[in-house]
Amino acid sequence: MSDAAVHVLTTEGPSRIQRIIEEAPSVRSVICLDGLTQILPVSPAYDAFVRRPAGVIERMSGHGAYRMDVSARIDEGQSWQLAAYIGHAAQLQGGTDVTVFATGEVDSHLAVRPVEHVDVKLAALARFLDTQDIDAEKAIIVVPDGGPETPARICGIAVQRVAGVAEALAFAGLDAPAEVGPIANDDGAAAKPARRRIPLFTVLGGAALLAAALFWAGGDFVRWSAMMGQGRVLDVETSLAEAGQDTFGHVRAAMFRTWLGLSRPASPVDIVGSLVVAREASACGDAARLDVRAVTSAFAAPGEICMAEFRAVGGVDDVVVGRLGYWPAGLGNGPRPARVMRGSGDVQGRKWTLEFKDLPQAGAAMRLVVIAGGVDISGPQPWYQDLLAAPLNSPVYEAARIRLARLGFTVTSLDWRRE
Amino acid sequence: MSTALENLTLEEGKSEVLRAALACVAESSSADGGPRYSEKVCRELARSIVCRSYAKPLLELSHLLVAASARDGRYEDLFWGVSRASAGEFRRSFMALAGMRDGIVIGTNAVTHEDGDGFQISYTRMPFLAALLEFMIMTLGYPAVDDMTGELRRPGAGEEKALAAARALQRSLYAYLKEHLPPVQRQRRERHFLGFVDMRAGNRTGADAINDEVVLSYWKAYAASDEIEARTFRAVYDTARRLISVIDAAEERLSGSYAKPIGTDHEAGEVDPADLDVVVCALDDDEGPLAQLLDTCGEQVKFVNQIEAETLSELPLGEATARRIPVSVLRNAVFGAAQLRLSTALRRGGAPIGGLPVATDPFYRARLDTYATVIETTEKMALAALWSLHRARRPEAVVLALELAPDIDWGKLMPVNGDDDNDDGAVVSLAAAAALKQFFESGPNAKGDEVAALLADARTAWRGVNRNGFRGDPDADEIDVMAAAARDVLRLISAVRRTLDRDLHGVDWPTFEAGDAVAFTEMFKALYESGKEAENHAG
Amino acid sequence: MPADDPIRKLALAALDADAQARALLSPEGARARVSFSDLYRYANDPGFVLAPELGARLAVDDAAQADLAHLLANGAFAHIPRQAAAASGAVERRETEKAVLVLTPSRAGAGEVYLSIELRDASARPPSQLFARKTGEAWQRLALPVFSDAQTQVLLDADAALARALADPETEVYLR
């Protein structure tokens, strides 16, 4: 894992997940204290959390036995589960650069359920944070939605209330992993996976001939397809460009681009947004004194804008990603946006929530860029630089949009400003 | 000479194994780190071994093993499941077994194995039997003991099986002791003193022949002698005291008609082990009441503090000693202590003889006053305990009240109605219950009736005390200890009062003070002239 | 009082016996042993720790060793005897009709091994301690964690005496 760690919130303070190691499948999963051979009493519950059929970790990772080491004892109960899930996801994805503090119970549908003593755990966390030097911008506190009210921040770190694991993972800077094997719900319906892949040799509509041609394309297609399936869009673009250097490569690349074009979403992306407004800045923390307004292109009314929230919904089979950029001094004024929010997975789409530290004054702007396609994009994404800064009708923005279109993605953007 | 040494070494080797086993039992600790078995129980165990009076205890133990096996045949869990081998803990453990096995009746004071005539073992006996069992295991080995007692674990084990197991244990222990118990050593000092007494007895016999004059004369005659170790008056006094105890006890034992116990383990001509055990037991009686109270209370409830205990330990509280040699009791307390200080000081190169009581000092009477003061304090502690136990509504409060205020008209507590004259036991117990209730509902009132005034005194006493167990609100453990010690403290008070009022009263103390001051000073000078002490203690 | 007076004889015999009893209770020079009370607590109370000096005494006290072995056998939940004479190599699995013990090396920690115990009868009252002894060596004791679904698991240092003993076919095991 990277230096940024995942912590289990407990009533005695956060317990850092130090490592997660696969064990022999015949062994029961254990949680050990600080690298010692001391197995904590919560281990049987952890084993049940890991192992199929009831456990959710094996569904994610495909492995059914682990050893987890934690820095401090973990309370009995189930509230360690959310942090453990995030820890496992981070371990599978090579780590995260977000420091996570989490509490919550995770059920078999990956919903996050309320737990007790959240206030006590947050108080203990606050005492801990007073002695630490953690970058609040690169940290997140995740608690279950539906429980008693929680502060918006603890020592500057945002407290996010989540209803599902996917949201929590997004706040943690992680992607929601696909699960290994079928997920059986009580009603027998298959749950929508948090992340989709384009299967190799998928043929959409009347593309049988294309498939035959693609067969001729052979190994390149397989390789590009696999890379796309992993969300390595920029790598595919680079590889396609390199393939175009020779005649046959050019043909193959063109064919693949055509194929990508066929997989571009047909449904438009719907975007809605709301602003949370208060009479004065000091009222931003008082839920009773807040007002919620729908987002329009401009906001000219009196009052302070405490928070903005946007939701984008794409087609049923589409993956929706994007960024929300905040320009306090106006769109494009400055080398980069003051805040860039990745958002979190939502039902059939994505949600972005921005709690303002520097409340928007006249001239402040936000740009929401929503990208929809067949896969979740991973790795470097240089197109955001232009998509978040350039005016919508500018050639720079249009070039970035086309670039993504050629890779099978649609781009939808929304602008807002404070007047 | 070498053979004698070899024999001595051999004997020491034999006893070393036995001593190791006994030491193990004596040093066994409870869960709280205190001794598992009391000193009294350990002494009783050693006594039963030496006197070979273990036949009856082994039979008791066998019956007890049957009862203790009631749950699942594992008597070990009951015996070693208690932290401290006390009557209270055994009672609690057995209460949990009530009804688990036919033929075993668990009562409030004893457990009964109902096969045959029925065999009852009181809870107060169980600590000793537990120590005996542990000793058997330490000496014979657990596998062997398990083998001999295996039948007792099973349901339906009756009197016959208990007797068979007891005999097997007895045979094995006899064989073990034959191998490991060295021959008893004749106590030379006591025999020498008794010989002296015989010469001066005249027409006095038995313990009557031992009096204050004999004790002092013996000391004067032999203090400086190499013939026998009798240098300190204290040692001579102890010898006399012990002889009085055993002679009186032997006389009483042999004058009565006692049935010989079954399986008496002795050869013809030897002393009967049962007689021996009883007489040896009498040696503990002088220390009995004080040692018992200290044992019951431990550090939790301080009826008697350390200084008071040291003071009272100078008094022989058994029936005989103080009555026969009252002056020797005080001589030991005053001059025995002085001699100890003197010899210690001289050994350390201290001051020459000085600081001894002088003829004009009322030192014996002052000592008596000290005893009286101490026991008055103990009585005050008992009164304070009455207040604490009354508030806790413990029946032992009644015991204390009746003893501390026997002149109170307790009949006033009884209900006034015609049924008082009824002989029906049920009505009497109802009346007693009503009296008890009224007693506990009475409150302290210094100007009230006798019970109220007594409780007021008790409360005043309580408030004036600052000792362990008597501070603030005692917790449940302290109340339990206080209740358990109530009778012990009353026995102590009674024994000290009897000794002071009867045995040490009526002596012409001024005359003895005048004579003894001179006599002892002269003796000490003769014994501890310069250089003699070091010489006497060299090599 | 004549020398053959029965009262005198009894009295002096009592004094002699009392002196002998006191001498027997004097511990000086007596070789210290391990009491049965301590052995019982060691065998039945997982929270009781045998003090180092007691452990040292036990190691050289053959009688106490025999007592302890008998105590462990009496009332044991399960006994897993030494493996057959022909067995060689490390033992990874031991089983009886009551329980199965499995040793599995940990992949996470070098030199660590899992001891898993599964009871055949899920409704049986689970044991709280494990005792293991290789022939001629001292007993190794392990307090077992709470059983869940008739199973429990412990992580041991592979070099620890207990782990080595469990892997040795010459070791017998009691579950209590």
Side-chain angles (χ1 to χ4, degrees):
Chain A
M1 283 190 180
S2 71
D3 284 345
V6 180
H7 299 76
V8 180
L9 285 177
T10 81
T11 53
E12 302 300 318
S15 176
R16 183 177 180 201
I17 296 177
Q18 296 167 323
R19 62 172 181 167
I20 296 175
I21 308 272
E22 288 185 0
E23 286 285 14
S26 61
V27 165
R28 288 184 138 191
S29 295
V30 293
I31 299 180
C32 292
L33 181 63
D34 202 23
L36 304 171
T37 56
Q38 183 180 354
I39 296 178
L40 294 180
V42 74
S43 293
Y46 175 56
D47 183 70
F49 184 66
V50 166
R51 197 182 294 271
R52 288 187 202 262
V56 295
I57 300 298
E58 189 175 4
R59 277 166 25 194
M60 169 172 60
S61 68
H63 191 76
Y66 288 92
R67 170 177 172 164
M68 176 187 289
D69 282 288
V70 294
S71 63
R73 300 190 81 87
I74 292 180
D75 303 337
E76 301 279 358
Q78 314 298 335
S79 62
W80 47 269
Q81 289 177 344
L82 179 58
Y85 194 96
I86 296 171
H88 274 278
Q91 189 249 359
L92 287 169
Q93 297 178 34
T96 171
D97 53 8
V98 178
T99 299
V100 179
F101 301 92
T103 186
E105 182 181 345
V106 176
D107 69 15
S108 60
H109 304 299
L110 301 182
V112 176
R113 295 188 180 183
V115 292
E116 291 183 339
H117 308 307
V118 173
D119 54 339
V120 179
K121 293 172 184 175
L122 292 178
L125 174 63
R127 288 192 295 275
F128 169 80
L129 290 172
D130 276 345
T131 66
Q132 305 293 312
D133 184 23
I134 291 177
D135 185 351
E137 290 299 312
K138 290 187 178 175
I140 199 72
I141 301 166
V142 188
V143 300
D145 202 3
E149 229 179 286
T150 47
R153 289 182 182 279
I154 303 283
C155 296
I157 301 174
V159 178
Q160 297 293 352
R161 298 166 69 94
V162 299
V165 152
E167 274 183 87
L169 290 175
F171 281 123
L174 297 164
D175 300 316
E179 293 202 318
V180 177
I183 303 159
N185 287 351
D186 288 344
D187 59 3
K192 179 182 189 304
R195 182 177 176 179
R196 283 189 65 229
R197 300 269 188 272
I198 298 177
L200 289 173
F201 294 99
T202 299
V203 177
L204 304 172
L209 283 175
L210 180 59
L214 290 171
F215 179 78
W216 170 69
D220 281 339
F221 184 85
V222 171
R223 182 166 53 87
W224 293 328
S225 210
M227 287 161 69
M228 280 303 289
Q230 292 167 10
R232 294 163 53 194
V233 174
L234 187 64
D235 289 343
V236 169
E237 185 185 56
T238 305
S239 183
L240 287 171
E242 288 169 357
Q245 301 296 321
D246 67 81
T247 306
F248 286 117
H250 176 78
V251 172
R252 288 196 294 275
M255 287 170 66
F256 189 74
R257 285 185 193 284
T258 304
W259 180 84
L260 286 178
L262 288 173
S263 61
R264 197 158 56 232
S267 308
V269 170
D270 293 324
I271 299 176
V272 294
S274 57
L275 298 175
V276 177
V277 181
R279 277 183 184 274
E280 58 267 343
S282 59
C284 278
D286 186 353
R289 294 160 65 188
L290 300 175
D291 194 17
V292 179
R293 316 264 181 91
V295 165
T296 54
S297 60
F299 180 83
E304 299 294 344
I305 302 165
C306 306
M307 191 171 78
E309 191 171 275
F310 294 89
R311 196 175 247 113
V313 177
V316 169
D317 296 324
D318 296 340
V319 177
V320 175
V321 297
R323 298 285 188 271
L324 172 64
Y326 171 51
W327 300 89
L331 189 76
N333 284 338
R336 63 186 68 82
R339 305 279 297 278
V340 177
M341 309 304 292
R342 291 165 55 107
S344 60
D346 203 29
V347 176
Q348 281 189 270
R350 201 164 190 89
K351 183 171 81 174
W352 296 262
T353 304
L354 175 55
E355 276 187 346
F356 292 103
K357 282 191 207 170
D358 302 320
L359 301 184
Q361 304 304 312
M366 284 189 290
R367 159 75 59 84
L368 176 65
V369 174
V370 181
I371 299 173
V375 294
D376 192 350
I377 304 172
S378 63
Q381 297 169 60
W383 37 82
Y384 279 121
Q385 193 171 352
D386 294 332
L387 289 172
L388 284 172
L392 290 178
N393 56 1
S394 69
V396 171
Y397 178 89
E398 185 62 12
R401 187 194 67 78
I402 291 171
R403 180 182 181 186
L404 282 167
R406 292 180 68 197
L407 293 167
F409 297 91
T410 62
V411 178
T412 310
S413 295
L414 180 148
D415 276 344
W416 172 90
R417 69 184 184 280
R418 175 101 200 243
E419 289 184 341
Chain B
M1 186 66 154
S2 63
T3 306
L5 277 174
E6 283 165 10
N7 285 343
L8 190 62
T9 307
L10 205 62
E11 300 304 344
E12 282 179 2
K14 275 187 187 179
S15 74
E16 190 261 338
V17 172
L18 183 54
R19 280 195 296 126
L22 273 170
C24 236
V25 176
E27 288 165 7
S28 285
S29 57
S30 59
D32 64 6
R36 186 174 148 76
Y37 304 105
S38 69
E39 272 186 46
K40 184 175 164 232
V41 160
C42 294
R43 280 203 303 274
E44 191 175 351
L45 177 63
R47 195 167 65 231
S48 70
I49 292 164
V50 165
C51 299
R52 296 181 183 258
S53 55
Y54 43 74
K56 180 168 177 271
L58 285 174
L59 183 60
E60 291 175 285
L61 178 60
S62 295
H63 282 279
L64 187 59
L65 293 180
V66 174
S69 301
R71 191 194 301 274
D72 51 11
R74 287 191 52 76
Y75 58 72
E76 296 87 343
D77 292 344
L78 186 137
F79 276 90
W80 285 279
V82 299
S83 171
R84 209 163 170 239
S86 69
E89 292 223 24
F90 280 117
R91 180 186 295 111
R92 275 190 285 278
S93 294
F94 270 105
M95 288 295 184
L97 299 183
M100 280 197 182
R101 188 172 275 194
D102 290 340
I104 303 296
V105 176
I106 312 294
T108 48
N109 293 316
V111 168
T112 307
H113 180 199
E114 278 194 326
D115 193 59
D117 293 335
F119 202 101
Q120 195 177 77
I121 309 118
S122 69
Y123 297 116
T124 52
R125 186 76 171 143
M126 289 182 192
F128 164 67
L129 296 176
L132 178 61
L133 177 61
E134 183 150 2
F135 174 74
M136 299 294 288
I137 288 174
M138 294 302 301
T139 50
L140 305 179
Y142 177 53
V145 171
D146 189 17
D147 191 48
M148 285 184 270
T149 59
E151 290 291 316
L152 304 181
R153 299 180 187 271
R154 298 195 176 87
E159 189 183 18
E160 212 175 285
K161 290 214 161 86
L163 190 58
R167 283 182 172 148
L169 291 167
Q170 189 184 339
R171 276 194 299 273
S172 296
L173 184 56
Y174 178 82
Y176 177 88
L177 291 178
K178 197 168 177 184
E179 190 63 34
H180 293 99
L181 184 65
V184 71
Q185 290 189 357
R186 291 157 60 91
Q187 298 304 293
R188 191 161 168 265
R189 187 186 298 182
E190 282 79 359
R191 282 169 173 79
H192 191 269
F193 181 87
L194 206 53
F196 182 87
V197 169
D198 287 342
M199 284 193 304
R200 313 266 296 231
N203 59 353
R204 292 189 297 269
T205 58
D208 286 339
I210 303 175
N211 57 32
D212 289 312
E213 190 269 331
V214 161
V215 173
L216 186 61
S217 301
Y218 181 85
W219 179 58
K220 283 180 172 176
Y222 289 100
S225 168
D226 293 330
E227 186 181 326
I228 193 73
E229 175 52 50
R231 189 170 187 80
T232 65
F233 181 83
R234 179 155 286 180
V236 172
Y237 164 76
D238 279 340
T239 301
R241 187 172 59 83
R242 289 158 60 77
L243 276 168
I244 289 170
S245 295
V246 292
I247 292 173
D248 272 350
E251 195 166 23
E252 187 185 339
R253 179 73 183 175
L254 294 180
S255 67
S257 56
Y258 297 95
K260 297 290 179 207
I262 296 166
T264 304
D265 184 15
H266 67 287
E267 293 167 5
E270 283 189 2
V271 170
D272 185 303
D275 293 341
L276 189 60
D277 188 271
V278 167
V279 176
V280 174
C281 197
L283 284 166
D284 284 340
D285 286 350
D286 266 3
E287 298 150 26
L290 178 61
Q292 180 61 50
L293 178 65
L294 294 175
D295 193 49
T296 303
C297 292
E299 290 299 314
Q300 277 185 289
V301 177
K302 287 287 192 184
F303 277 103
V304 172
N305 65 24
Q306 188 175 345
I307 294 174
E308 290 161 358
E310 284 170 8
T311 304
L312 290 179
S313 68
E314 293 170 359
L315 290 174
L317 299 177
E319 290 287 330
T321 304
R323 181 163 54 84
R324 294 183 192 286
I325 51 172
V327 183
S328 299
V329 171
L330 271 291
R331 282 171 175 161
N332 171 62
V334 175
F335 291 102
Q339 187 174 12
L340 181 62
R341 286 193 300 273
L342 186 60
S343 64
T344 304
L346 286 172
R347 257 201 307 281
R348 293 177 185 163
I353 298 166
L356 293 170
V358 297
T360 51
D361 289 343
F363 45 86
Y364 287 148
R365 285 167 284 169
R367 201 75 196 140
L368 289 168
D369 287 343
T370 302
Y371 298 139
T373 303
V374 167
I375 208 59
E376 277 166 18
T377 303
T378 310
E379 283 166 340
K380 187 178 156 200
M381 301 305 297
L383 195 58
L386 164 61
W387 174 244
S388 182
L389 292 173
H390 179 268
R391 279 195 304 170
R393 298 180 83 92
R394 296 292 293 258
E396 291 83 0
V398 177
V399 172
L400 284 172
L402 287 171
E403 196 65 30
L404 292 172
D407 48 333
I408 281 184
D409 181 6
W410 293 97
K412 285 185 179 168
L413 291 176
M414 303 286 278
V416 179
N417 57 41
D419 290 335
D420 283 350
D421 297 329
N422 198 316
D423 281 339
D424 186 332
V427 176
V428 169
S429 61
L430 277 174
L436 203 66
K437 184 166 178 285
Q438 193 166 348
F439 171 69
F440 284 115
E441 284 173 1
S442 302
N445 184 350
K447 295 178 184 169
D449 71 355
E450 290 154 311
V451 173
L454 174 65
L455 291 172
D457 285 344
R459 183 176 60 182
T460 303
W462 172 266
R463 288 175 177 166
V465 173
N466 181 24
R467 291 189 185 186
N468 286 359
F470 292 89
R471 291 190 191 110
D473 278 326
D475 58 32
D477 278 348
E478 286 168 342
I479 293 285
D480 279 346
V481 170
M482 196 177 277
R487 286 184 206 276
D488 294 332
V489 73
L490 291 175
R491 267 196 289 272
L492 175 66
I493 292 169
S494 167
V496 172
R497 282 283 175 218
R498 185 193 64 240
T499 303
L500 293 178
D501 299 342
R502 185 192 71 184
D503 303 333
L504 301 181
H505 183 67
V507 176
D508 184 4
W509 293 113
T511 303
F512 281 109
E513 282 159 359
D516 286 352
V518 171
F520 276 90
T521 302
E522 279 173 8
M523 274 296 293
F524 290 154
K525 276 184 182 162
L527 287 172
Y528 300 115
E529 282 174 21
S530 176
K532 236 188 202 170
E533 184 63 22
E535 186 185 305
N536 286 327
H537 284 272
Chain C
M1 193 183 274
D4 60 353
D5 185 303
I7 293 174
R8 183 195 185 95
K9 273 181 73 174
L10 176 56
L12 289 173
L15 285 170
D16 297 341
D18 181 69
Q20 187 177 41
R22 287 176 196 274
L24 285 177
L25 283 174
S26 140
E28 286 99 20
R31 181 175 60 87
R33 291 188 58 194
V34 184
S35 71
F36 189 77
S37 297
D38 284 335
L39 293 179
Y40 179 86
R41 287 174 71 192
Y42 179 71
N44 290 281
D45 181 1
F48 174 72
V49 177
L50 205 59
E53 62 269 20
L54 279 183
R57 279 190 218 169
L58 179 61
V60 298
D61 187 339
D62 291 341
Q65 290 277 358
D67 286 352
L68 180 56
H70 197 82
L71 196 50
L72 292 176
N74 252 358
F77 175 87
H79 175 229
I80 305 163
R82 295 180 186 88
Q83 304 276 300
S88 60
V91 174
E92 292 177 352
R93 184 182 175 91
R94 296 171 184 268
E95 53 186 301
T96 71
E97 73 280 2
K98 290 271 186 79
V100 179
L101 279 66
V102 178
L103 288 172
T104 310
S106 169
R107 295 180 186 175
E112 289 175 348
V113 62
Y114 288 96
L115 167 64
S116 306
I117 302 175
E118 183 178 347
L119 306 182
R120 300 250 198 236
D121 180 1
S123 64
R125 193 174 154 196
S128 60
Q129 297 197 91
L130 177 148
F131 289 86
R133 182 174 68 162
K134 186 178 168 180
T135 313
E137 292 185 4
W139 285 98
Q140 301 297 324
R141 182 179 76 152
L142 177 69
L144 298 175
V146 172
F147 277 72
S148 174
D149 290 335
Q151 289 186 345
T152 195
Q153 187 171 264
V154 176
L155 188 57
L156 303 171
D157 277 318
D159 280 338
L162 177 62
R164 286 189 283 106
L166 287 171
D168 194 321
E170 285 297 309
T171 295
E172 61 175 331
V173 177
Y174 285 101
L175 294 176
R176 289 179 59 82

